[in-house]
Amino acid sequence: MEAATTPAVAGAPEARDAAALGLPWAEVWGQDAAVATLREAASDPAAMTHAWLITGPPGSGRSILAHAFAAALIAQPGDERAMAQVLAGTHPDITALRTEGVIISIKDARALVERSYFAPSLGRYRVIVMEDADRMTERTSNVLLKALEEPPERTVWVLCAPSDADLLPTIRSRVRTLRLREPDAVDVAELIVRRSGVDQAVAEQSARHAQRHIGMAQRLATDAAARARRDATLRGVLGVRGVGDAVEVAGAIVAAATDDARALTSERDEAERATLLRTLGIADGAAVPSAVRSQLSALEDEQKRRATRSLRDGIDRVLTDLESMFRDTLMLQFGREGDLINRELDAELRALASAWSPERTLAVVDRIAATRENLELNAAPVLALESMLITVASGRTP
């Protein structure tokens, strides 16, 4: 049986301003139609189904909406205390998985399935949220099939992914899909100004450069170093003229992404290690007994997987920025100048558009896309980037 698909394309009058609705929808932004659909489902059993898939581009608010829906399902109407607990992840009837590794493991999937068969302890439903469902392998997806097909009466699954194509057809056929809309850059900029109080021009530039990814726009708008690093990377790639330049720029990109990933994870890693040692009753600086070394080793393995994911995400973000730059070049080559993402590089991109043929620009865009796929398949980052940058320099695929 093919599941229904609900496109969220038109705003419902009662959901124009999610913040005005109060908990649990206050943090959902720019998805009026999706909020209206899920509010109806949470309040009307006839509009409800046991498994949902929320899709949308990165930064569109998939996970925020999933947790708001979970709060509306679990809490009694008007019980804001219970809603706040669900949103904070402390309510016993919500189980959420957001992997920070490269993939979702079979072990994690089995734990979710096992949890899904528990009856709700306090709320109306038990809700299982999987935020990165696109990171399931085929074997992991198969673990979920029966649970999605025949869940207990009061259990609801909510999966999140960039698109339904990221999941197996057998998964898609067992869920109701809700597609989120992609916000406009102007709307993202207004949100960033409202949240952070940054200058309107900085917010607008950040929204463009982030390609409407709300979280990335927020970071760029509030981190001058991140904006400078992005600009330096794009200009560095524009300056690649040969193999030597390709090697140098590829190394710089990976080094910057590594430093960024380390900055994001090192403080958390130390805090997790200290917490584990305290839990085990080991004083600071004391030797770790052999009997508990396996627990420490398991934590370190998990931290390494998280660091690998963080590094890959950082490099992928650079590749996304490069795609936007060469997409701008194509736009100029075809005479479309009103929708450039990287307006600050206008002169450089016009020169490139004049020097290159559209075929060469397309070859570079295709090579960037292939590099992203290769990195997902565990290609060595430096070598993959060097190969891509040689295509930038020569127009030929190595």
Side-chain angles (χ1 to χ4, degrees), residues 147-179:
L148 290 176
E149 191 170 32
E150 301 175 2
E153 183 179 355
R154 295 172 66 197
T155 292
V156 178
W157 285 82
V158 185
L159 311 182
C160 302
S163 76
D164 54 2
D166 293 313
L167 277 70
L168 294 179
T170 48
I171 295 288
R172 298 200 300 266
S173 67
R174 289 164 171 80
V175 300
R176 178 179 176 184
T177 300
L178 183 70
R179 295 194 179 104

mmCIF file of all heavy atoms in Angstrom, residues 147-179:
data_model
loop_
_atom_site.group_PDB
_atom_site.id
_atom_site.type_symbol
_atom_site.label_atom_id
_atom_site.label_comp_id
_atom_site.label_asym_id
_atom_site.label_seq_id
_atom_site.Cartn_x
_atom_site.Cartn_y
_atom_site.Cartn_z
ATOM 1 N N ALA A 147 8.431 -2.746 12.245
ATOM 2 C CA ALA A 147 7.962 -1.789 13.248
ATOM 3 C C ALA A 147 7.146 -0.675 12.607
ATOM 4 O O ALA A 147 6.171 -0.184 13.184
ATOM 5 C CB ALA A 147 9.149 -1.203 14.009
ATOM 6 N N LEU A 148 7.526 -0.260 11.387
ATOM 7 C CA LEU A 148 6.768 0.777 10.691
ATOM 8 C C LEU A 148 5.454 0.228 10.137
ATOM 9 O O LEU A 148 4.459 0.950 10.031
ATOM 10 C CB LEU A 148 7.602 1.361 9.547
ATOM 11 C CG LEU A 148 8.807 2.215 9.950
ATOM 12 C CD1 LEU A 148 9.588 2.632 8.713
ATOM 13 C CD2 LEU A 148 8.380 3.449 10.727
ATOM 14 N N GLU A 149 5.473 -1.036 9.769
ATOM 15 C CA GLU A 149 4.291 -1.635 9.163
ATOM 16 C C GLU A 149 3.229 -1.997 10.195
ATOM 17 O O GLU A 149 2.028 -1.834 9.946
ATOM 18 C CB GLU A 149 4.698 -2.880 8.383
ATOM 19 C CG GLU A 149 3.592 -3.437 7.508
ATOM 20 C CD GLU A 149 4.110 -4.518 6.585
ATOM 21 O OE1 GLU A 149 5.049 -5.233 6.979
ATOM 22 O OE2 GLU A 149 3.592 -4.637 5.459
ATOM 23 N N GLU A 150 3.663 -2.488 11.354
ATOM 24 C CA GLU A 150 2.727 -2.947 12.376
ATOM 25 C C GLU A 150 3.117 -2.408 13.754
ATOM 26 O O GLU A 150 3.464 -3.170 14.656
ATOM 27 C CB GLU A 150 2.683 -4.475 12.400
ATOM 28 C CG GLU A 150 2.256 -5.098 11.083
ATOM 29 C CD GLU A 150 2.334 -6.610 11.124
ATOM 30 O OE1 GLU A 150 2.691 -7.159 12.193
ATOM 31 O OE2 GLU A 150 2.058 -7.250 10.095
ATOM 32 N N PRO A 151 3.075 -1.097 13.945
ATOM 33 C CA PRO A 151 3.448 -0.552 15.254
ATOM 34 C C PRO A 151 2.305 -0.731 16.254
ATOM 35 O O PRO A 151 1.153 -0.943 15.867
ATOM 36 C CB PRO A 151 3.670 0.929 14.960
ATOM 37 C CG PRO A 151 2.707 1.209 13.851
ATOM 38 C CD PRO A 151 2.677 -0.040 13.006
ATOM 39 N N PRO A 152 2.612 -0.650 17.532
ATOM 40 C CA PRO A 152 1.540 -0.642 18.535
ATOM 41 C C PRO A 152 0.585 0.526 18.285
ATOM 42 O O PRO A 152 0.959 1.533 17.672
ATOM 43 C CB PRO A 152 2.298 -0.479 19.854
ATOM 44 C CG PRO A 152 3.669 -0.976 19.564
ATOM 45 C CD PRO A 152 3.954 -0.616 18.137
ATOM 46 N N GLU A 153 -0.610 0.405 18.792
ATOM 47 C CA GLU A 153 -1.665 1.372 18.498
ATOM 48 C C GLU A 153 -1.281 2.792 18.898
ATOM 49 O O GLU A 153 -1.650 3.751 18.227
ATOM 50 C CB GLU A 153 -2.948 0.950 19.219
ATOM 51 C CG GLU A 153 -4.134 1.855 18.931
ATOM 52 C CD GLU A 153 -5.392 1.400 19.653
ATOM 53 O OE1 GLU A 153 -5.349 0.329 20.293
ATOM 54 O OE2 GLU A 153 -6.398 2.114 19.582
ATOM 55 N N ARG A 154 -0.551 2.952 19.988
ATOM 56 C CA ARG A 154 -0.253 4.299 20.498
ATOM 57 C C ARG A 154 1.208 4.681 20.327
ATOM 58 O O ARG A 154 1.742 5.493 21.070
ATOM 59 C CB ARG A 154 -0.668 4.379 21.970
ATOM 60 C CG ARG A 154 -2.186 4.220 22.163
ATOM 61 C CD ARG A 154 -2.547 4.096 23.620
ATOM 62 N NE ARG A 154 -2.259 5.325 24.358
ATOM 63 C CZ ARG A 154 -2.161 5.395 25.683
ATOM 64 N NH1 ARG A 154 -2.332 4.287 26.413
ATOM 65 N NH2 ARG A 154 -1.918 6.537 26.277
ATOM 66 N N THR A 155 1.862 4.121 19.308
ATOM 67 C CA THR A 155 3.231 4.511 18.961
ATOM 68 C C THR A 155 3.226 5.196 17.600
ATOM 69 O O THR A 155 2.579 4.726 16.666
ATOM 70 C CB THR A 155 4.162 3.290 18.912
ATOM 71 O OG1 THR A 155 4.335 2.771 20.228
ATOM 72 C CG2 THR A 155 5.533 3.671 18.358
ATOM 73 N N VAL A 156 3.940 6.301 17.499
ATOM 74 C CA VAL A 156 4.050 7.052 16.244
ATOM 75 C C VAL A 156 5.524 7.228 15.907
ATOM 76 O O VAL A 156 6.325 7.633 16.758
ATOM 77 C CB VAL A 156 3.377 8.438 16.353
ATOM 78 C CG1 VAL A 156 3.554 9.222 15.051
ATOM 79 C CG2 VAL A 156 1.894 8.287 16.682
ATOM 80 N N TRP A 157 5.874 6.915 14.658
ATOM 81 C CA TRP A 157 7.234 7.139 14.155
ATOM 82 C C TRP A 157 7.263 8.441 13.357
ATOM 83 O O TRP A 157 6.355 8.713 12.568
ATOM 84 C CB TRP A 157 7.657 6.001 13.231
ATOM 85 C CG TRP A 157 8.009 4.725 13.931
ATOM 86 C CD1 TRP A 157 7.156 3.765 14.381
ATOM 87 C CD2 TRP A 157 9.332 4.270 14.247
ATOM 88 N NE1 TRP A 157 7.861 2.741 14.967
ATOM 89 C CE2 TRP A 157 9.197 3.016 14.899
ATOM 90 C CE3 TRP A 157 10.604 4.787 14.053
ATOM 91 C CZ2 TRP A 157 10.305 2.291 15.341
ATOM 92 C CZ3 TRP A 157 11.704 4.063 14.493
ATOM 93 C CH2 TRP A 157 11.549 2.828 15.133
ATOM 94 N N VAL A 158 8.329 9.239 13.551
ATOM 95 C CA VAL A 158 8.539 10.451 12.754
ATOM 96 C C VAL A 158 9.976 10.413 12.240
ATOM 97 O O VAL A 158 10.929 10.548 13.016
ATOM 98 C CB VAL A 158 8.307 11.738 13.571
ATOM 99 C CG1 VAL A 158 8.426 12.955 12.649
ATOM 100 C CG2 VAL A 158 6.943 11.721 14.255
ATOM 101 N N LEU A 159 10.137 10.202 10.941
ATOM 102 C CA LEU A 159 11.447 10.178 10.302
ATOM 103 C C LEU A 159 11.706 11.521 9.624
ATOM 104 O O LEU A 159 10.777 12.182 9.155
ATOM 105 C CB LEU A 159 11.525 9.060 9.263
ATOM 106 C CG LEU A 159 11.054 7.659 9.677
ATOM 107 C CD1 LEU A 159 11.261 6.673 8.535
ATOM 108 C CD2 LEU A 159 11.760 7.199 10.933
ATOM 109 N N CYS A 160 12.978 11.918 9.550
ATOM 110 C CA CYS A 160 13.355 13.160 8.879
ATOM 111 C C CYS A 160 14.456 12.862 7.865
ATOM 112 O O CYS A 160 15.391 12.116 8.163
ATOM 113 C CB CYS A 160 13.877 14.196 9.876
ATOM 114 S SG CYS A 160 12.722 14.638 11.187
ATOM 115 N N ALA A 161 14.359 13.458 6.679
ATOM 116 C CA ALA A 161 15.360 13.264 5.638
ATOM 117 C C ALA A 161 15.258 14.419 4.649
ATOM 118 O O ALA A 161 14.213 15.072 4.556
ATOM 119 C CB ALA A 161 15.151 11.933 4.926
ATOM 120 N N PRO A 162 16.332 14.684 3.883
ATOM 121 C CA PRO A 162 16.244 15.756 2.887
ATOM 122 C C PRO A 162 15.163 15.515 1.837
ATOM 123 O O PRO A 162 14.484 16.439 1.413
ATOM 124 C CB PRO A 162 17.651 15.751 2.258
ATOM 125 C CG PRO A 162 18.535 15.195 3.323
ATOM 126 C CD PRO A 162 17.699 14.165 4.015
ATOM 127 N N SER A 163 14.994 14.264 1.393
ATOM 128 C CA SER A 163 13.945 13.950 0.425
ATOM 129 C C SER A 163 13.518 12.501 0.598
ATOM 130 O O SER A 163 14.255 11.695 1.184
ATOM 131 C CB SER A 163 14.425 14.184 -1.011
ATOM 132 O OG SER A 163 15.279 13.141 -1.430
ATOM 133 N N ASP A 164 12.344 12.165 0.069
ATOM 134 C CA ASP A 164 11.898 10.781 0.190
ATOM 135 C C ASP A 164 12.758 9.839 -0.642
ATOM 136 O O ASP A 164 12.839 8.645 -0.358
ATOM 137 C CB ASP A 164 10.423 10.648 -0.184
ATOM 138 C CG ASP A 164 10.095 11.222 -1.554
ATOM 139 O OD1 ASP A 164 11.015 11.701 -2.242
ATOM 140 O OD2 ASP A 164 8.920 11.193 -1.931
ATOM 141 N N ALA A 165 13.449 10.374 -1.660
ATOM 142 C CA ALA A 165 14.330 9.541 -2.483
ATOM 143 C C ALA A 165 15.537 9.031 -1.700
ATOM 144 O O ALA A 165 16.221 8.105 -2.151
ATOM 145 C CB ALA A 165 14.798 10.325 -3.705
ATOM 146 N N ASP A 166 15.805 9.625 -0.526
ATOM 147 C CA ASP A 166 16.939 9.189 0.295
ATOM 148 C C ASP A 166 16.627 7.915 1.081
ATOM 149 O O ASP A 166 17.512 7.376 1.738
ATOM 150 C CB ASP A 166 17.344 10.295 1.273
ATOM 151 C CG ASP A 166 17.928 11.503 0.565
ATOM 152 O OD1 ASP A 166 18.786 11.302 -0.302
ATOM 153 O OD2 ASP A 166 17.526 12.629 0.878
ATOM 154 N N LEU A 167 15.389 7.449 1.030
ATOM 155 C CA LEU A 167 14.999 6.249 1.754
ATOM 156 C C LEU A 167 14.568 5.164 0.768
ATOM 157 O O LEU A 167 14.162 5.454 -0.362
ATOM 158 C CB LEU A 167 13.853 6.533 2.720
ATOM 159 C CG LEU A 167 14.257 7.121 4.083
ATOM 160 C CD1 LEU A 167 14.747 8.553 3.947
ATOM 161 C CD2 LEU A 167 13.068 7.077 5.039
ATOM 162 N N LEU A 168 14.634 3.919 1.219
ATOM 163 C CA LEU A 168 14.220 2.807 0.369
ATOM 164 C C LEU A 168 12.723 2.887 0.059
ATOM 165 O O LEU A 168 11.934 3.369 0.876
ATOM 166 C CB LEU A 168 14.509 1.482 1.063
ATOM 167 C CG LEU A 168 15.975 1.115 1.307
ATOM 168 C CD1 LEU A 168 16.057 -0.221 2.040
ATOM 169 C CD2 LEU A 168 16.741 1.043 0.000
ATOM 170 N N PRO A 169 12.317 2.399 -1.107
ATOM 171 C CA PRO A 169 10.882 2.382 -1.437
ATOM 172 C C PRO A 169 10.045 1.643 -0.395
ATOM 173 O O PRO A 169 8.894 2.018 -0.134
ATOM 174 C CB PRO A 169 10.833 1.666 -2.795
ATOM 175 C CG PRO A 169 12.185 1.903 -3.389
ATOM 176 C CD PRO A 169 13.143 1.928 -2.233
ATOM 177 N N THR A 170 10.610 0.609 0.208
ATOM 178 C CA THR A 170 9.866 -0.142 1.227
ATOM 179 C C THR A 170 9.592 0.704 2.463
ATOM 180 O O THR A 170 8.573 0.518 3.134
ATOM 181 C CB THR A 170 10.656 -1.395 1.636
ATOM 182 O OG1 THR A 170 12.020 -1.038 1.897
ATOM 183 C CG2 THR A 170 10.612 -2.442 0.542
ATOM 184 N N ILE A 171 10.488 1.641 2.774
ATOM 185 C CA ILE A 171 10.247 2.575 3.879
ATOM 186 C C ILE A 171 9.219 3.615 3.453
ATOM 187 O O ILE A 171 8.262 3.923 4.174
ATOM 188 C CB ILE A 171 11.559 3.262 4.312
ATOM 189 C CG1 ILE A 171 12.549 2.243 4.886
ATOM 190 C CG2 ILE A 171 11.270 4.376 5.316
ATOM 191 C CD1 ILE A 171 12.180 1.714 6.243
ATOM 192 N N ARG A 172 9.394 4.170 2.251
ATOM 193 C CA ARG A 172 8.497 5.230 1.778
ATOM 194 C C ARG A 172 7.050 4.759 1.713
ATOM 195 O O ARG A 172 6.116 5.541 1.928
ATOM 196 C CB ARG A 172 8.944 5.718 0.392
ATOM 197 C CG ARG A 172 10.323 6.319 0.353
ATOM 198 C CD ARG A 172 10.505 7.201 -0.872
ATOM 199 N NE ARG A 172 10.329 6.490 -2.125
ATOM 200 C CZ ARG A 172 11.316 5.948 -2.831
ATOM 201 N NH1 ARG A 172 12.559 6.002 -2.375
ATOM 202 N NH2 ARG A 172 11.091 5.353 -3.979
ATOM 203 N N SER A 173 6.842 3.491 1.403
ATOM 204 C CA SER A 173 5.481 2.982 1.263
ATOM 205 C C SER A 173 4.772 2.818 2.603
ATOM 206 O O SER A 173 3.558 2.583 2.640
ATOM 207 C CB SER A 173 5.499 1.640 0.533
ATOM 208 O OG SER A 173 6.117 0.640 1.323
ATOM 209 N N ARG A 174 5.511 2.945 3.695
ATOM 210 C CA ARG A 174 4.928 2.731 5.024
ATOM 211 C C ARG A 174 4.774 4.018 5.821
ATOM 212 O O ARG A 174 4.459 3.981 7.008
ATOM 213 C CB ARG A 174 5.785 1.726 5.802
ATOM 214 C CG ARG A 174 5.671 0.305 5.261
ATOM 215 C CD ARG A 174 6.796 -0.578 5.769
ATOM 216 N NE ARG A 174 6.566 -1.980 5.427
ATOM 217 C CZ ARG A 174 6.816 -2.527 4.247
ATOM 218 N NH1 ARG A 174 7.299 -1.772 3.265
ATOM 219 N NH2 ARG A 174 6.592 -3.815 4.035
ATOM 220 N N VAL A 175 5.047 5.159 5.198
ATOM 221 C CA VAL A 175 4.967 6.428 5.914
ATOM 222 C C VAL A 175 4.127 7.428 5.123
ATOM 223 O O VAL A 175 3.937 7.282 3.916
ATOM 224 C CB VAL A 175 6.376 7.031 6.151
ATOM 225 C CG1 VAL A 175 7.242 6.096 6.982
ATOM 226 C CG2 VAL A 175 7.072 7.342 4.820
ATOM 227 N N ARG A 176 3.645 8.430 5.810
ATOM 228 C CA ARG A 176 3.000 9.561 5.156
ATOM 229 C C ARG A 176 4.033 10.681 5.062
ATOM 230 O O ARG A 176 4.616 11.083 6.072
ATOM 231 C CB ARG A 176 1.784 10.039 5.952
ATOM 232 C CG ARG A 176 1.089 11.253 5.326
ATOM 233 C CD ARG A 176 -0.122 11.656 6.140
ATOM 234 N NE ARG A 176 -0.741 12.865 5.616
ATOM 235 C CZ ARG A 176 -1.778 13.478 6.176
ATOM 236 N NH1 ARG A 176 -2.310 12.978 7.283
ATOM 237 N NH2 ARG A 176 -2.286 14.579 5.637
ATOM 238 N N THR A 177 4.261 11.169 3.858
ATOM 239 C CA THR A 177 5.321 12.156 3.631
ATOM 240 C C THR A 177 4.773 13.573 3.686
ATOM 241 O O THR A 177 3.749 13.890 3.076
ATOM 242 C CB THR A 177 5.995 11.915 2.268
ATOM 243 O OG1 THR A 177 6.563 10.603 2.247
ATOM 244 C CG2 THR A 177 7.097 12.933 2.021
ATOM 245 N N LEU A 178 5.481 14.410 4.412
ATOM 246 C CA LEU A 178 5.142 15.834 4.523
ATOM 247 C C LEU A 178 6.354 16.625 4.037
ATOM 248 O O LEU A 178 7.419 16.582 4.660
ATOM 249 C CB LEU A 178 4.816 16.193 5.969
ATOM 250 C CG LEU A 178 4.371 17.621 6.251
ATOM 251 C CD1 LEU A 178 2.980 17.861 5.674
ATOM 252 C CD2 LEU A 178 4.377 17.906 7.744
ATOM 253 N N ARG A 179 6.189 17.313 2.936
ATOM 254 C CA ARG A 179 7.309 18.046 2.339
ATOM 255 C C ARG A 179 7.292 19.501 2.802
ATOM 256 O O ARG A 179 6.288 20.202 2.654
ATOM 257 C CB ARG A 179 7.244 17.985 0.814
ATOM 258 C CG ARG A 179 7.418 16.584 0.248
ATOM 259 C CD ARG A 179 7.689 16.618 -1.247
ATOM 260 N NE ARG A 179 7.874 15.273 -1.755
ATOM 261 C CZ ARG A 179 6.961 14.592 -2.451
ATOM 262 N NH1 ARG A 179 5.798 15.151 -2.715
ATOM 263 N NH2 ARG A 179 7.208 13.377 -2.880
#
